[in-house]
Amino acid sequence: MGLIDVLERKQGVIVGDDVIKTFDYAQEHKFAIPAINVTSSSTVVASLEAARDNKSPVILQMSQGGAAYFAGKGVANDKQQASIAGAVAGAQYIRSVAPSYGIPVILHTDHCAKKLLPWLDGMMDADEAYFKEHGEPLFSSHMIDLSEEEVDWNLATTAKYLKRAAPMKQWLEMEIGITGGEEDGVNNEEVDNNSLYTQPEDIYNIYHTLSAISPYFSIAAGFGNVHGVYKPGNVKLHPELLGKHQKFVKDKINGNKDKPVYLVFHGGSGSSKQEYVDAISYGVVKVNLDTDLQYAYLTGIRDYVLKKKDYIMAQVGNPDGEDKPNKKFFDPRVWVREGEKTMSTRVSEGLKDFNTAGQFTIESGLTGTTARRTYPIILPLTLGEVHGNLRLQFYAGRHYKGVSTWLLATKILEMNGGILARQQPQQQQRPPQTDSGAEQFLKLVQDPFKTAFQANAFWASLGTSIGVTIFIAICFSLLRPFNSAVYAPKLKHADEKHRPPPLGKGVFAWVAPLLKTREAQLVDKVGLDATVFLRFTRMCRNMFLIMALVGCGVMIPANVASSNKDLTHSAFVTMTPLNVWGRALWAHVICAWAFDILVAYFLWTNYRAVVRLRRQYFESPEYQSGLHARTLMVTDIPGSFRTDEGIARITDDFKSASGAPRCAIGRNVKELPNLIEQHAKTVRDLESYLAKYLKNPDRLGARPTCKPDKKDRSYSRGQSVDAIEYLSGRIRDLEIQIHEVRLSVDKRNAMPYGFASYQSIPEAHNVALAARRKHPQGTTVRLAPRPNDLIWDNLPLSKRTRRWRRFTNNLWVALLTLVWIAPNAMMAIFLTNLSNLGLVWPAFQKYQLSAYPKTWAVVQGIASPALTSLVYWILPITFRRLSVRAGDLTKTSRDQHVTHKLYAFFVFNYLIIFSAFSAVWQFAASVVAAEHQNRGVWDAIKEGQFFVKIMTALCTVSPYWVTWLLQRNLGAALDLSQIINLIYVAFCRSFMNPTPRQFIEWTAPPWFDYAQYYNYFLFYATVALCFATLQPIVLAVTALYFALDSWLKKYLLMYVFITKTESGGQIWRILFNRIIFAAILANFFVGLVLKAKGSNMMMYCLVPLPFLMLGFKWYCSKAFDDQIYYYSKAALKDPESLPVPGKDSHRNDKLAMRFGHPALHKPLITPMVHAKAQHVLAQVYRGRLNSEHSDRLEGYRDIQLDPMSQTQPGKPKGPAPNAPFEIVPENQLDFAYYKDREEFGDEHGGGDIYGKSSDLVTLRSQTPRSFFGPNGSPSSSRASSPGGFGSRRAVSDGSDGHGVTYPADYHHPAYRTASPDSLGVAPTYMDHRDPGSGGFYSHANESESRLLSGAAGMPIGAPGYREEYGRRQVGTPQAERDDPLSYDYFRRGRQ
């Protein structure tokens, strides 16, 4: 049932029961009726037009001054006679024209103070006279405003007037609590702000007294209202007080109605839409509008006058001609009409803001009785149907032959009601109109995160965070002693130097090592990168602990003391500056300075500490013996200098004491890296198929099939082939290609990069420092990173290519950051509350949410966190790949750029956009609306109160960040529990078919993603700094997080995680700059508050802070950066006292080898098969499964001796049934057996913590401890097996000691180094410390079982047929022996 069905009188001025029905309907449907102050017939017409066009009821009211103006300013008003006459005249005029607009109108008079009571008496005299004649009062209602008087006198006087009005069923509005500002001579600008807020007890007292007299009354309660539009922040509205009043009265009277009191909103001009909506939700049925409408009326006339000024300067003569008349321009009906238009537009805005628009619509079918309910907007159509060519125009002031068109139309409809009833079919009554999906969506977008801003969520988050964290810590303490492989893998795998302190079996035995291990020990145990990470975490902990004491000790008392103590805001809002203004905001200025000083102090002290750590790192044995420490990397080398000698000429500008450095130019490895990558992928694919096929070796199923590679044109597109045979053959083909490409690499096709190695570290660093800002021959000279830190594919890129890639990379990142705004908002709106999705998608609400509420409740609880976590996981991967494509030369610089871009993404999307989303949206909407109303954009921007809205949004969102940071503690606890890795591995073991390689990788220590964690920590710190003055409790919550995580991460880095690529703590400057940025951004947040609610002097005091922070950054850069990056003589001990390398040190550096492209010597991986399937390999694999060369001796077995075993003297050599696979026993599915192998070690620390470093120079031989053969070439393209399936040859025979031998003529031409034999280096056996494990994990051979290991191979026999990989070949064994395309030639070498 619509409002039109409720009222007895459908149009014109309504009184009595219709008024109370209108207000009841308004409370039920949550809208309020605007009360428009009218002063003339023109303003009356403008208001009625807007109400008609928006199908809305309206209240027209006259103030004492407005009524006097209606009568004329020339009429004396010493006894209120002009005001009385004008009010009566205005009432008569409104009663005459209102029916023409077809809407209900409540005729009201505004504020009547004590001194104006004679005015009210005169109007009520007129009411009583009109009542005697017409049975209803002239005015629908009056307002008596005695709020400045004593409450008792106010109530008693109001009751007296209500008794006079009650017989006429006339409404009376009274006011309790002062409305600030000034209106019609009633000036309350200097009153105490606390007087602007009414108490619930007063409301109940009024209700109790007046309801005993008549139900026709309403109360204008003070909740911070102000007449006029004043500077934002002087007085703050608190509409939630109205809800408190309603509840108080309801509880007192024990009534059933939730909103027993009819409330009125005074001083509505300039208020935000949200304040209107909140007030209406608490039972406000009337909102006063005056100041905004006065200005709107002016703008139309003003703009007209300015636009037509040349046409109104004289009666005749204008730009169109000197004799042109101007009457049509200066006619009052023209320019007054312009004011009516703009005022009408502003009234329409208010009708929409108050949800009044559309409330007066036809809800029933147009039948006999309902035909009389028609209003003008449909009359032309109705009259046309009944009277053919009769057409009437309907709006105030127009008449048809002197008769009001509305009256004429009404008569016609009354006469033809029966005809219309017969013509129109009976329609079923429609339910009340609801918002469309689009309208609901727009409302949600204006406040998308409202569900997250519940302050009571703080205690739930705090309890959950602390409770779950403690629970996880207890579970971890109980499980840890029995699961050291998961919770302390570094104890098992690290060498003695890097092994963390042992852990006892006690429940809390893990706590003591954390407390006892100091920073000096951490450098050896976890590396400098991890040490710097932990130092940064401790810095944040200590910094925010002190800031929390300052912020909570100063800001909270200042905000709470300056806020009204009677307000019903939550504790979180009270702690914000939302209700603070004036001098109290100096506390924000003081704390802003204090916080910046604290940030600068902690950054300075930790900068010095990092410098100290870096100096110690420079003097460490690892750095002193590392080749990269005294090597420079030269990039962008021009073509004429791309030789070893060319690099030496480039460095001639920087003379050194020891002469020219040893140089090595980069080689063009062609497609070799891509081939090796394809090979590794193919091997893993084959392993996957074999693992699935051989899951149950005794019950083999159908052989697996696969699709050939798209580049393989020997197969038709879409053809399925035998996976095992195809992938085995592809592996062989790739190995042959790799072999050929490696042989073809030489020095003739050099690349634009190279390396120069000096005799001493200070010498190299001094050259790098001198060349820092110089570019000799257009090159860039910098300190060389560790070889495993280089991104080799990017080294050949030109400067132009790198610049272009950086530009496109930044463009992609910026685009991704901007595009993510929409999904971010949609996730916040819909995933956090699926009922919001139901609002815009009714079918989903009806058939899903309503039908399966529990199911969708679970989805809602899981979807948002899961999707957010997925995004957090994908973003670092995405940004890391973008950085690689951007041309980063090292993994360290790549991770630094990833940290930088992730941080920018998070700050923009999750801090700035998230926090200010609703405010910016509402502000932009208001500006667009103003532009459509022909108001200037700049005027709309100024009227939009941008800074006030942003500040309010930030204060409102602050509880969310508090709860969000509390929940981050759960993430820290989950890291400790390793629950995600455990679940993933358990799932794969149970439901997948993991390969032996995957089993081995799962047992390896995981690598720590510094970029991701640094981004989190920097983002948390930025949130805390930005909201430090807005919501000081956020500092305490952030301090709690860092206090907890500083210990948890210390355990994880000591016992669980490893550093994948050690950079020596070079990330520090990135962290320093981001914290400086966060401090400056926090200053802008404080500036928003001061701009919105403070003074200019406060703003001036804040201005120096950003510049001081930038100056501090410049000072630290000048004071510390050189010491961090360069080995300075002045800061270290005399370099002459350092050990000087011998005269052959350059010759033994093997620079070209250690800084050569890894594709030249990287071992190829071998397919791994579980030992349980070894016995069926002959059935599964149709290629060669016997020993290395027995296939070549097939035709001579009757005359040739059997090959002899190398491990058992006098015994024939047995078959090697595992070739070409690596058989892995069950007891060796552990990383401990493979950690020295490059294919595993590179992904899990590069071997540094396992006692193996590719860049380490031994004290005895000055050669790297690696898998290189005696001639400086890689000993094999294959990685070794840890098992006992192959022989272990001595280094002297070209073997790498892992059962893999390179051909004697396979000394790579790209490596220009002397062999150990030529240097007089005696052949040595590899260090075998672990039985059966191979490499560095085999014991020394003390059993004398390898006495024949160096014996010559058996002679090769006559020609014969051999079948390999299913392809029949013919050839002589002698020829095959030297065939470089032979599979065995490349895989196992020649024997």
Side-chain angles (χ1 to χ4, degrees):
M1 180 178 294
L3 177 59
I4 194 171
D5 298 303
V6 172
L7 301 180
E8 292 297 325
R9 182 176 296 169
K10 315 301 179 183
Q11 64 279 326
V13 176
I14 62 174
V15 296
D17 290 336
D18 277 344
V19 174
I20 199 170
K21 289 177 182 177
T22 300
F23 289 157
D24 283 336
Y25 187 85
Q27 280 192 340
E28 179 183 354
H29 292 82
K30 295 183 178 179
F31 71 89
I33 306 170
I36 313 301
N37 281 68
V38 293
T39 58
S40 64
S41 61
S42 178
T43 55
V44 170
V45 168
S47 304
L48 290 174
E49 276 190 26
R52 179 201 63 195
D53 295 342
N54 287 277
K55 309 177 185 65
S56 306
V58 70
I59 299 174
L60 299 183
Q61 63 186 21
M62 289 178 283
S63 64
Q64 181 263 353
Y69 183 81
F70 220 109
K73 295 295 287 185
V75 179
N77 200 30
D78 56 320
K79 296 181 180 180
Q80 303 298 325
Q81 60 269 37
S83 295
I84 295 171
V88 172
Q92 294 286 1
Y93 173 75
I94 293 171
R95 277 185 170 274
S96 299
V97 301
S100 300
Y101 292 86
I103 53 169
V105 177
I106 297 175
L107 185 54
H108 181 66
T109 61
D110 206 3
H111 294 269
C112 179
K114 180 181 180 180
K115 63 182 179 181
L116 303 179
L117 286 178
W119 173 52
L120 179 57
D121 291 333
M123 289 188 295
M124 293 196 75
D125 290 341
D127 285 325
E128 290 169 342
Y130 196 88
F131 182 79
K132 289 178 182 180
E133 183 177 352
H134 301 284
E136 62 184 44
L138 178 61
F139 293 90
S140 308
S141 62
H142 296 289
M143 178 190 179
I144 181 169
D145 180 4
L146 305 175
S147 56
E148 294 184 35
E149 315 304 325
E150 294 293 333
V151 175
D152 293 340
W153 192 88
N154 180 357
L155 182 55
T157 306
T158 301
K160 181 182 72 172
Y161 278 94
L162 183 60
K163 290 177 183 179
R164 184 177 177 183
M168 298 181 286
K169 291 189 176 181
Q170 188 178 48
W171 197 274
L172 188 65
E173 177 185 333
M174 67 88 63
E175 182 164 353
I176 183 74
I178 297 175
T179 298
E182 186 273 336
E183 185 175 41
D184 279 340
V186 180
N187 193 325
N188 293 325
E189 292 180 311
E190 302 300 329
V191 298
D192 183 5
N193 284 327
N194 291 335
S195 302
L196 304 179
Y197 303 97
T198 306
Q199 303 305 308
E201 294 79 4
D202 293 334
I203 298 296
Y204 169 70
N205 192 23
I206 295 168
Y207 180 88
H208 178 72
T209 302
L210 299 186
S211 61
I213 301 171
S214 169
Y216 303 102
F217 70 92
S218 56
I219 303 174
F223 55 97
N225 321 54
V226 177
H227 285 305
V229 180
Y230 286 77
K231 182 180 179 181
N234 286 347
V235 178
K236 177 60 184 174
L237 290 177
H238 294 283
E240 68 277 4
L241 290 175
L242 303 180
K244 182 177 179 181
H245 301 335
Q246 296 281 21
K247 185 178 185 304
F248 189 88
V249 174
K250 178 187 176 184
D251 293 343
K252 281 288 187 180
I253 66 175
N254 196 24
N256 297 323
K257 192 175 180 181
D258 290 334
K259 304 167 189 173
V261 183
Y262 300 103
L263 296 172
V264 177
F265 188 161
H266 277 228
S269 295
S271 301
S272 67
K273 181 178 179 181
Q274 188 60 47
E275 289 170 333
Y276 288 136
V277 171
D278 292 344
I280 291 169
S281 68
Y282 296 126
V284 166
V285 296
K286 172 177 172 282
V287 180
N288 281 18
L289 280 181
D290 184 21
T291 309
D292 278 2
L293 301 182
Q294 291 175 353
Y295 185 75
Y297 190 86
L298 166 68
T299 57
I301 299 174
R302 177 200 65 195
D303 294 344
Y304 176 84
V305 170
L306 294 175
K307 183 178 180 181
K308 301 294 184 181
K309 64 179 181 178
D310 295 332
Y311 294 84
I312 60 176
M313 302 305 293
Q315 294 189 45
V316 178
N318 58 50
D320 297 334
E322 294 182 357
D323 58 345
K324 297 291 184 181
N326 294 323
K327 185 179 186 304
K328 64 180 180 180
F329 297 109
F330 60 72
D331 187 336
R333 290 174 295 177
V334 177
W335 51 268
V336 170
R337 179 58 182 163
E338 295 300 318
E340 292 175 0
K341 290 178 181 178
T342 51
M343 178 178 173
S344 182
T345 300
R346 180 62 184 88
V347 173
S348 297
E349 286 184 28
L351 293 169
K352 293 173 183 176
D353 288 346
F354 309 153
N355 198 28
T356 321
Q359 295 293 344
F360 193 69
T361 57
I362 298 179
E363 299 293 342
S364 304
L366 190 60
T367 60
T369 57
T370 60
R372 299 187 181 92
R373 300 172 183 171
T374 309
Y375 53 96
I377 198 169
I378 68 166
L379 279 175
L381 175 61
T382 306
L383 294 175
E385 291 175 350
V386 177
H387 295 284
N389 54 7
L390 174 62
R391 295 292 184 268
L392 299 176
Q393 294 178 321
F394 301 94
Y395 55 87
R398 298 296 180 92
H399 293 74
Y400 181 76
K401 294 182 180 180
V403 182
S404 169
T405 54
W406 173 256
L407 298 178
L408 176 61
T410 302
K411 288 297 182 183
I412 294 173
L413 289 178
E414 287 177 350
M415 291 186 297
N416 293 280
I419 298 174
L420 291 175
R422 289 189 296 273
Q423 290 178 348
Q424 296 291 336
Q426 185 75 18
Q427 296 181 3
Q428 186 177 2
Q429 183 173 334
R430 294 179 295 177
Q433 184 177 2
T434 58
D435 291 336
S436 66
E439 291 170 336
Q440 290 283 3
F441 175 74
L442 291 176
K443 290 181 179 179
L444 291 172
V445 169
Q446 289 184 5
D447 190 9
F449 313 108
K450 59 185 178 182
T451 56
F453 297 159
Q454 300 300 322
N456 56 8
F458 169 77
W459 298 110
S461 297
L462 179 62
T464 302
S465 175
I466 295 177
V468 174
T469 300
I470 292 175
F471 174 76
I472 291 177
I474 293 174
C475 292
F476 163 79
S477 300
L478 295 174
L479 295 174
R480 181 201 57 79
F482 310 101
N483 294 273
S484 59
V486 175
Y487 295 119
K490 290 172 70 175
L491 275 176
K492 178 179 181 181
H493 299 304
D495 63 3
E496 182 177 355
K497 179 179 179 179
H498 298 93
R499 187 176 295 119
L503 294 174
K505 295 295 184 180
V507 174
F508 297 106
W510 59 280
V511 176
L514 298 185
L515 300 176
K516 295 178 180 179
T517 305
R518 302 302 177 189
E519 187 173 75
Q521 300 170 283
L522 282 174
V523 176
D524 288 336
K525 303 300 181 185
V526 299
L528 191 54
D529 280 341
T531 304
V532 170
F533 177 86
L534 294 176
R535 169 163 281 279
F536 176 74
T537 309
R538 292 197 307 275
M539 182 194 78
C540 292
R541 176 194 66 192
N542 299 336
M543 182 173 69
F544 284 112
L545 279 173
I546 297 177
M547 293 176 69
L549 294 176
V550 175
C552 295
V554 176
M555 296 303 306
I556 293 179
N559 290 339
V560 172
S562 302
S563 299
N564 193 303
K565 298 181 176 59
D566 298 323
L567 300 182
T568 56
H569 272 310
S570 67
F572 282 103
V573 177
T574 305
M575 288 187 287
T576 70
L578 198 61
N579 307 311
V580 180
W581 50 82
R583 297 179 60 186
L585 290 173
W586 279 108
H588 291 253
V589 179
I590 294 172
C591 282
W593 277 85
F595 292 159
D596 277 15
I597 292 172
L598 283 171
V599 169
Y601 170 76
F602 277 100
L603 286 176
W604 180 69
T605 55
N606 282 274
Y607 218 134
R608 294 177 60 194
V610 171
V611 169
R612 173 178 50 80
L613 289 172
R614 284 283 293 178
R615 309 311 299 172
Q616 294 174 359
Y617 171 73
F618 286 150
E619 294 183 357
S620 64
E622 288 84 359
Y623 191 81
Q624 291 290 325
S625 57
L627 179 60
H628 76 282
R630 50 189 173 88
T631 301
L632 302 181
M633 181 171 69
V634 185
T635 56
D636 308 315
I637 301 175
S640 59
F641 287 85
R642 292 180 186 176
T643 62
D644 295 352
E645 293 77 10
I647 298 177
R649 294 204 309 271
I650 290 173
T651 59
D652 280 345
D653 293 338
F654 315 103
K655 297 296 184 180
S656 61
S658 61
R662 185 174 181 84
C663 304
I665 192 69
R667 306 302 175 196
N668 185 356
V669 295
K670 305 175 183 178
E671 70 274 16
L672 194 54
N674 182 49
L675 291 174
I676 294 176
E677 183 179 353
Q678 290 183 44
H679 178 274
K681 181 181 181 302
T682 307
V683 168
R684 288 179 177 273
D685 290 342
L686 177 60
E687 290 174 344
S688 179
Y689 281 108
L690 288 173
K692 185 175 182 180
Y693 183 57
L694 301 176
K695 184 176 182 180
N696 189 346
D698 298 328
R699 297 177 59 184
L700 299 178
R703 286 179 67 88
T705 59
C706 69
K707 302 291 184 182
D709 187 84
K710 294 180 180 179
K711 298 180 181 179
D712 193 344
R713 298 183 180 179
S714 60
Y715 297 90
S716 60
R717 195 165 189 175
Q719 178 182 354
S720 295
V721 296
D722 185 282
I724 298 175
E725 289 189 3
Y726 171 76
L727 294 175
S728 300
R730 180 161 176 76
I731 291 172
R732 176 187 55 79
D733 293 340
L734 286 170
E735 289 179 344
I736 293 174
Q737 293 181 55
I738 292 169
H739 176 63
E740 292 175 338
V741 174
R742 280 177 167 169
L743 287 177
S744 66
V745 173
D746 56 30
K747 295 186 177 183
R748 287 172 293 181
N749 189 4
M751 302 305 291
Y753 68 89
F755 302 90
S757 178
Y758 288 82
Q759 286 191 357
S760 67
I761 295 174
E763 191 175 3
H765 281 240
N766 287 337
V767 172
L769 181 60
R772 179 173 50 178
R773 293 183 178 87
K774 299 178 181 178
H775 296 277
Q777 307 300 329
T779 63
T780 301
V781 181
R782 58 172 68 89
L783 289 172
R786 293 170 181 258
N788 65 341
D789 192 22
L790 286 168
I791 301 178
W792 293 93
D793 291 345
N794 289 341
L795 286 177
L797 299 179
S798 64
K799 284 184 179 180
R800 182 177 180 181
T801 302
R802 280 200 295 270
R803 280 196 298 265
W804 172 249
R805 288 194 176 186
R806 279 196 297 268
F807 171 76
T808 55
N809 174 66
N810 293 333
L811 189 64
W812 276 111
V813 171
L815 184 63
L816 177 62
T817 303
L818 293 175
V819 168
W820 185 247
I821 295 175
N824 186 27
M826 296 305 100
M827 288 170 56
I829 294 171
F830 298 119
L831 284 184
T832 58
N833 189 352
L834 289 175
S835 62
N836 288 341
L837 183 59
L839 291 175
V840 298
W841 187 4
F844 177 72
Q845 176 70 41
K846 180 178 180 181
Y847 298 110
Q848 293 296 325
L849 286 182
S850 300
Y852 310 102
K854 294 183 178 179
T855 302
W856 287 108
V858 173
V859 172
Q860 177 174 302
I862 296 175
S864 181
L867 188 55
T868 302
S869 300
L870 180 63
V871 170
Y872 283 10
W873 178 68
I874 291 176
L875 278 177
I877 298 175
T878 304
F879 281 38
R880 190 171 280 112
R881 290 184 177 179
L882 287 174
S883 294
V884 171
R885 294 184 179 182
D888 283 326
L889 300 182
T890 65
K891 299 171 186 176
T892 297
S893 64
R894 176 198 63 189
D895 282 354
Q896 290 176 357
H897 290 151
V898 170
T899 303
H900 165 67
K901 290 177 172 60
L902 274 176
Y903 175 74
F905 181 91
F906 270 67
V907 168
F908 181 78
N909 263 298
Y910 292 107
L911 177 58
I912 297 176
I913 295 299
F914 180 92
S915 299
F917 187 90
S918 61
V920 173
W921 178 276
Q922 292 177 9
F923 176 77
S926 65
V927 172
V928 172
E931 189 175 5
H932 288 312
Q933 296 163 14
N934 297 322
R935 286 192 285 168
V937 175
W938 179 245
D939 292 336
I941 291 175
K942 290 189 292 184
E943 294 171 10
Q945 301 178 1
F946 176 78
F947 293 105
V948 175
K949 289 181 178 178
I950 293 294
M951 187 275 295
T952 302
L954 294 176
C955 291
T956 306
V957 77
S958 61
Y960 167 79
W961 288 115
V962 173
T963 56
W964 185 82
L965 286 170
L966 278 173
Q967 294 170 1
R968 297 308 95 195
N969 289 325
L970 297 179
L974 289 175
D975 284 343
L976 179 67
S977 68
Q978 294 289 290
I979 187 66
I980 296 177
N981 289 337
L982 289 174
I983 292 176
Y984 171 75
V985 172
F987 175 83
C988 291
R989 286 175 179 267
S990 302
F991 302 102
M992 308 294 286
N993 299 293
T995 66
R997 189 179 305 276
Q998 290 174 319
F999 276 109
I1000 294 168
E1001 290 172 341
W1002 289 339
T1003 62
W1007 59 275
F1008 191 77
D1009 191 345
Y1010 287 100
Q1012 185 173 2
Y1013 282 104
Y1014 272 132
N1015 169 63
Y1016 292 159
F1017 286 3
L1018 288 169
F1019 182 65
Y1020 302 159
T1022 304
V1023 170
L1025 289 172
C1026 289
F1027 283 88
T1029 55
L1030 290 167
Q1031 182 59 269
I1033 196 69
V1034 75
L1035 295 170
V1037 173
T1038 307
L1040 173 64
Y1041 171 81
F1042 281 112
L1044 174 67
D1045 213 21
S1046 62
W1047 293 107
L1048 298 185
K1049 288 296 187 290
K1050 185 175 182 179
Y1051 176 86
L1052 291 173
L1053 286 170
M1054 285 177 61
Y1055 292 96
V1056 180
F1057 289 108
I1058 52 95
T1059 300
K1060 187 175 180 180
T1061 304
E1062 177 67 47
S1063 71
Q1066 294 185 34
I1067 191 70
W1068 170 253
R1069 190 173 180 183
I1070 296 291
L1071 309 178
F1072 175 85
N1073 290 339
R1074 298 303 165 272
I1075 295 295
I1076 291 288
F1077 168 81
I1080 295 175
L1081 182 62
N1083 294 334
F1084 281 97
F1085 272 61
V1086 178
L1088 283 174
V1089 178
L1090 300 180
K1091 177 65 176 175
K1093 312 191 76 174
S1095 64
N1096 290 334
M1097 182 57 67
M1098 296 177 184
M1099 292 290 295
Y1100 296 151
C1101 292
L1102 197 67
V1103 167
L1105 284 178
F1107 298 100
L1108 290 175
M1109 294 304 293
L1110 291 175
F1112 170 72
K1113 175 184 179 300
W1114 177 85
Y1115 162 75
C1116 288
S1117 176
K1118 291 296 183 181
F1120 301 123
D1121 280 1
D1122 287 350
Q1123 297 183 56
I1124 279 186
Y1125 292 113
Y1126 299 103
Y1127 189 113
S1128 174
K1129 295 181 184 179
L1132 294 176
K1133 55 189 178 180
D1134 185 359
E1136 293 182 0
S1137 64
L1138 296 175
V1140 178
K1143 63 180 181 179
D1144 293 331
S1145 60
H1146 269 328
R1147 184 177 60 179
N1148 295 332
D1149 282 344
K1150 298 187 181 297
L1151 180 67
M1153 175 68 69
R1154 270 176 277 175
F1155 279 97
H1157 199 296
L1160 293 171
H1161 54 77
K1162 184 176 183 179
L1164 303 182
I1165 63 176
T1166 303
M1168 289 182 167
V1169 179
H1170 198 283
K1172 67 180 181 180
Q1174 183 177 2
H1175 64 286
V1176 296
L1177 278 179
Q1179 306 173 36
V1180 172
Y1181 179 66
R1182 299 172 185 175
R1184 172 182 54 78
L1185 284 176
N1186 52 355
S1187 60
E1188 297 184 39
H1189 297 292
S1190 60
D1191 58 328
R1192 303 179 186 178
L1193 310 177
E1194 203 167 348
Y1196 292 90
R1197 288 189 184 273
D1198 56 338
I1199 61 173
Q1200 182 183 306
L1201 297 176
D1202 291 332
M1204 302 300 294
S1205 171
Q1206 296 180 351
T1207 58
Q1208 299 182 14
K1211 301 293 184 181
K1213 183 177 181 180
N1218 53 309
F1221 300 105
E1222 181 175 352
I1223 305 302
V1224 184
E1226 179 72 26
N1227 63 351
Q1228 290 186 5
L1229 293 175
D1230 193 300
F1231 181 69
Y1233 294 95
Y1234 302 86
K1235 56 190 176 184
D1236 272 343
R1237 283 172 50 165
E1238 190 172 344
E1239 59 188 288
F1240 294 102
D1242 277 356
E1243 290 299 314
H1244 302 279
D1248 288 352
I1249 71 165
Y1250 314 125
K1252 164 185 168 287
S1253 175
S1254 61
D1255 189 43
L1256 189 64
V1257 178
T1258 62
L1259 296 177
R1260 184 172 63 179
S1261 66
Q1262 294 289 313
T1263 57
R1265 295 189 301 180
S1266 62
F1267 292 121
F1268 299 144
N1271 296 316
S1273 63
S1275 54
S1276 173
S1277 66
R1278 284 283 185 175
S1280 63
S1281 169
F1285 299 101
S1287 64
R1288 302 290 187 265
R1289 291 188 180 273
V1291 175
S1292 59
D1293 70 351
S1295 169
D1296 64 353
H1298 292 266
V1300 181
T1301 306
Y1302 240 83
D1305 55 351
Y1306 191 64
H1307 300 321
H1308 205 285
Y1311 301 139
R1312 193 179 64 180
T1313 58
S1315 67
D1317 293 335
S1318 64
L1319 298 175
V1321 179
T1324 58
Y1325 283 91
M1326 302 298 288
D1327 179 21
H1328 301 282
R1329 292 173 289 184
D1330 191 6
S1333 65
F1336 295 104
Y1337 292 89
S1338 296
H1339 285 298
N1341 182 25
E1342 299 177 354
S1343 63
E1344 300 183 354
S1345 61
R1346 296 175 53 87
L1347 296 176
L1348 301 180
S1349 61
M1354 297 300 296
I1356 306 300
Y1361 286 94
R1362 62 188 179 92
E1363 186 172 320
E1364 188 174 342
Y1365 284 88
R1367 296 166 63 182
R1368 203 163 186 79
Q1369 300 180 4
V1370 180
T1372 64
Q1374 289 87 349
E1376 291 173 5
R1377 183 169 179 263
D1378 296 324
D1379 183 8
L1381 300 183
S1382 166
Y1383 177 78
D1384 283 275
Y1385 181 101
F1386 181 66
R1387 176 183 170 78
R1388 294 300 182 189
R1390 297 163 58 188
Q1391 293 189 3

